[in-house]
Amino acid sequence: VASIVEGDQLTKLQFEQVALTAFLPTDEALGNYTGPHNRQLIQAHMCQSWETFGPVVGNSQASRGKLSGQSCGKLSGQSWETLRPVDTSSVLDVQVVHGHVVPGRALFTRPASLQEEEVESLAFTDNLKVLLRVERVTPRPPPVYYVTSNTVASDQRHQLGTAMAQVARANILVANGVVHLIARRLMTNAESIMSYLKEEGGQLSEFYRLFHEHQQDLLNRLSGAPTPQGWTLFAPNNHAFNMVKADSLETISLNKAKLGELLKLHMVSGRLTTDKIEQQATLKKLEVPTESRDRKLYFNVYREAGGAGGAKLPVVTVEGAGVNATIRTPNIVTNNGIIHIIDRIMDIPSQTVYEKLMSNPEISVTYNLSSQGTWGAQFRDRAQKFTFFVPNDDAWDDVRTKMPSAYKKLVMGEFPQHVRTILQRHLLVGKDLPLTALLALTNNGTLNPASPHTPHLLNMSRGKIMFEMRVQQNANGGSKVLMTRQDVTVSGATTPTSFAFFSTAAILITSAILR
C-alpha cells in the first residue's frame, strides 16, 4: 500500500491533509488480488470521515457494509480482504458533461496553432482535472478532426487516461460560442480495444483492416471480455500506412505467419501506461516483451517544449524491429486494455537513414554531427542504399571522456571535414546489408573453411572494418566510435586502435583499418 500511495501524488496528498478512515489491505491481501494496484484500488478502501470500530476478537467477522460508495469486502481476523473499485467506465454525471466544455473561449478546428494545444475543460477542479485538445489527424484533404479528453487527475468516480472521439460535424456557431458534434462520449472507456479500432472512418481503420481481413484470431483476443491483466496495443494511425511502400505492405499481407508476427509486435500483455514507461525508462533503458516470439519493444523518453508557459512535455518513442515510432496519442483507456496511437508501422522500414537518425534519441549526437556541412544530405536519398554502423550517444560520451579536446572540436560545427573522416569509416554506400547478411558473412565457410569465424573485411567509404560475431544481445547503435586523436588534428595514416559493437539482434565485434 505504501508504494502505491508514494507513487500517486493525489492519494499521498489525501493521506497527508484530509480527515479520513482507511481500511488498508495487508501485503498478503494485495498479493491475492489480480486487478491493477492503483489509486482507484486504494480509494475503494477510504471513507471521507472519521470512523471507529471495536476490537476484533479471534476470527470474528465484521458485517458487510459500504465504503465511499464502493463495494465492501469483509474484515476477517486481523486483515481486510482487498476491495474491488467500482467500475467507472460508463459513469455519466455533471463532471463528465463539464469535461466536454471549454470555458471562456471558442475553440474552432481551423487555426493550426490550436490543433495540438491542450486547454483546460470546465472539469478542472482540485480533485478532477480534464484537458481537451482538437487535432487534425489527416495531413491531406479531406480533413478529419478528433477531440481528445485527457484526465490527468481523477477522483473516485472517474478514471485517469485518454478518450478520443471523431468530430462528426464541426464549427456550429451559436450565440455564446461554438459547438462540435462528436461520435462518442469523452472521459469514458470504449467497450474494448477492437471496438475502438473498427470505428467507421476512424484514424486506425487501416490497422483494423489487417486484423479483420487476415488475423481473426488476434482480433478476437483484442475483442474479448475485460481481464485483470488486459492488453496494451501500439496502434499505427492511417498516416503511418501512407509512409510505407504499398508493395512492401502487400507482400507481408500475403504471408499470414509474417503478418501475424507483425501485428503481435504491436501487442503487449498487461496495461502499460506512459506514466509507467516514463518512470521505468528514467532508471534504465526499458525493454518490454511482446506477443511476437522473442521480440521486444524498446522505449525512450525525452522532453520538448509545448506545455503551458513553455513547460517541457514528455515524449515517448518506441522501437520495434528496427523501426522507431513516436506515441502521438497516449493512454486511450478501454475496458480490456490501453491503446497508444503511434506514427509508424513497426517491422516495416519506412524511414530514410536521415529520418532514422533524426527520430531516434539514442543516436542524436551522430545525427547532429552528420548535419554539419553537406555530407549528411546524402541520407535523404531514397534511391540510394546504405549500410551505416551508427555510434550511439554512449559511444560519443566515451569519446568526450577520453578525448575531451577532440570531442569539443567535433561538436563545435566548425570542422565538418573531421566529422566526415570519422563517419565515413562507419558507412558503406551502395549496399544495404541487414544483420542476417552480416551474420552470414561471419558464418560462411567458403570464406575460410578452416576457420569460419575469422573476422571478415568490409570496404567502407573510408578504410575498412573487420568484424566477427560473438554473442547474442540487443543494442541500438555502436558503443564505440572508430576514431583516433589524430582525426581532429592531422591527416594521414594511423594504426587501428578502436573497437566497436554493432547490432540489432547480435553483437558484431568490429575494428577498423583507419586511414
Side-chain angles (χ1 to χ4, degrees):
V1 172
S3 62
I4 299 173
V5 173
E6 283 292 334
D8 187 276
Q9 290 299 317
L10 178 60
T11 307
K12 184 178 180 181
L13 189 64
Q14 286 179 304
F15 271 78
E16 291 174 344
Q17 300 185 13
V18 178
L20 54 83
T21 299
F23 299 85
L24 300 179
T26 64
D27 290 350
E28 180 183 0
L30 280 175
N32 294 328
Y33 179 59
T34 58
H37 294 185
N38 55 18
R39 175 195 304 169
Q40 283 76 22
L41 178 64
I42 299 303
Q43 288 178 336
H45 295 71
M46 295 163 53
C47 296
Q48 297 292 325
S49 63
W50 292 93
E51 299 288 350
T52 59
F53 293 86
V56 178
V57 180
N59 290 323
S60 63
Q61 297 181 356
S63 62
R64 294 177 181 271
K66 292 289 182 179
L67 295 177
S68 301
Q70 314 295 326
S71 59
C72 181
K74 63 183 179 180
L75 185 62
S76 176
Q78 298 298 318
S79 65
W80 276 86
E81 294 179 359
T82 302
L83 309 180
R84 290 183 177 274
V86 70
D87 179 13
T88 61
S89 61
S90 58
V91 168
L92 178 59
D93 56 19
V94 66
Q95 285 85 5
V96 171
V97 175
H98 287 175
H100 290 68
V101 179
V102 176
R105 64 188 297 181
L107 192 63
F108 293 90
T109 58
R110 287 193 178 277
S113 61
L114 297 181
Q115 288 182 4
E116 296 296 333
E117 179 186 1
E118 283 193 328
V119 296
E120 295 180 5
S121 73
L122 195 58
F124 205 86
T125 62
D126 290 340
N127 293 332
L128 179 64
K129 300 183 187 297
V130 181
L131 300 171
L132 294 175
R133 182 176 79 244
V134 176
E135 59 179 326
R136 177 175 173 173
V137 299
T138 52
R140 295 187 291 270
V144 176
Y145 294 95
Y146 273 75
V147 59
T148 302
S149 69
N150 182 13
T151 305
V152 296
S154 67
D155 54 23
Q156 294 181 15
R157 289 181 56 81
H158 306 92
Q159 288 190 340
L160 292 170
T162 300
M164 293 187 69
Q166 187 172 349
V167 178
R169 186 179 174 190
N171 305 322
I172 303 172
L173 294 177
V174 294
N176 58 346
V178 61
V179 174
H180 307 283
L181 302 185
I182 59 178
R184 72 164 70 234
R185 201 166 68 193
L186 301 175
M187 286 184 63
T188 53
N189 297 357
E191 179 182 346
S192 68
I193 290 175
M194 198 51 62
S195 69
Y196 191 92
L197 262 62
K198 69 179 183 181
E199 182 180 82
E200 185 175 354
Q203 62 172 320
L204 304 178
S205 59
E206 289 295 323
F207 194 48
Y208 170 73
R209 182 179 59 81
L210 292 181
F211 282 99
H212 180 67
E213 296 180 1
H214 306 284
Q215 292 288 334
Q216 280 289 331
D217 290 345
L218 293 180
L219 185 148
N220 293 336
R221 290 165 69 179
L222 295 178
S223 304
T227 63
Q229 189 173 27
W231 296 98
T232 299
L233 182 70
F234 295 87
N237 56 26
N238 289 348
H239 181 57
F241 283 78
N242 296 330
M243 301 295 291
V244 301
K245 295 179 180 179
D247 56 347
S248 298
L249 185 60
E250 183 179 1
T251 300
I252 291 178
S253 298
L254 294 175
N255 186 327
K256 185 175 181 179
K258 187 170 181 62
L259 177 62
E261 292 304 310
L262 181 148
L263 295 175
K264 290 177 183 178
L265 183 65
H266 295 75
M267 296 169 56
V268 171
S269 179
R271 292 173 170 86
L272 185 64
T273 65
T274 52
D275 284 344
K276 291 182 181 178
I277 294 172
E278 185 177 4
Q279 182 181 12
Q280 297 180 45
T282 55
L283 302 176
K284 62 179 181 179
K285 183 176 178 180
L286 179 60
E287 304 176 2
V288 176
T290 70
E291 292 300 293
S292 181
R293 181 181 301 177
D294 299 328
R295 296 204 291 181
K296 298 180 179 180
L297 299 180
Y298 303 87
F299 295 90
N300 281 286
V301 180
Y302 65 96
R303 293 184 175 271
E304 67 178 15
K312 291 188 175 182
L313 300 176
V315 177
V316 180
T317 64
V318 54
E319 185 265 321
V323 175
N324 273 86
T326 300
I327 296 179
R328 295 302 180 185
T329 303
N331 305 322
I332 300 174
V333 180
T334 73
N335 287 347
N336 67 345
I338 292 174
I339 303 171
H340 301 291
I341 298 179
I342 58 177
D343 59 0
R344 300 280 177 179
I345 306 173
M346 293 182 288
D347 211 13
I348 304 182
S350 61
Q351 297 172 300
T352 62
V353 173
Y354 174 82
E355 292 167 339
K356 177 71 173 180
L357 292 171
M358 181 175 62
S359 65
N360 190 337
E362 287 193 290
I363 51 178
S364 60
V365 177
T366 297
Y367 167 68
N368 291 329
L369 291 174
S370 66
S371 299
Q372 295 180 15
T374 60
W375 182 78
Q378 63 183 315
F379 296 135
R380 298 173 183 262
D381 186 355
R382 291 186 177 273
Q384 183 60 274
K385 297 182 182 297
F386 301 97
T387 300
F388 195 5
F389 296 88
V390 183
N392 61 20
D393 288 357
D394 289 340
W396 290 109
D397 282 342
D398 190 52
V399 172
R400 180 170 54 184
T401 300
K402 296 178 179 178
M403 294 180 272
S405 297
Y407 180 83
K408 183 176 180 180
K409 290 180 181 179
L410 290 174
V411 299
M412 285 174 59
E414 298 180 5
F415 305 98
Q417 69 276 16
H418 296 323
V419 173
R420 184 173 64 249
T421 296
I422 295 166
L423 293 183
Q424 279 180 334
R425 295 197 189 102
H426 300 73
L427 180 67
L428 178 63
V429 180
K431 293 182 179 179
D432 52 345
L433 299 177
L435 181 64
T436 52
L438 294 174
L439 295 180
L441 288 174
T442 65
N443 278 305
N444 191 345
T446 61
L447 296 177
N448 187 345
S451 181
H453 294 284
T454 299
H456 183 71
L457 292 176
L458 278 180
N459 291 312
M460 311 303 285
S461 294
R462 185 180 184 89
K464 299 179 180 181
I465 63 170
M466 175 174 57
F467 63 91
E468 60 178 310
M469 185 185 72
R470 291 285 178 85
V471 296
Q472 295 289 324
Q473 188 169 319
N474 280 287
N476 267 331
S479 63
K480 294 289 182 181
V481 181
L482 303 178
M483 66 172 288
T484 66
R485 299 180 187 277
Q486 291 88 341
D487 285 330
V488 290
T489 54
V490 297
S491 60
T494 62
T495 57
T497 60
S498 185
F499 292 86
F501 299 84
F502 298 99
S503 174
T504 56
I507 287 184
L508 301 175
I509 307 300
T510 312
S511 63
I513 299 176
L514 307 179
R515 64 175 176 83

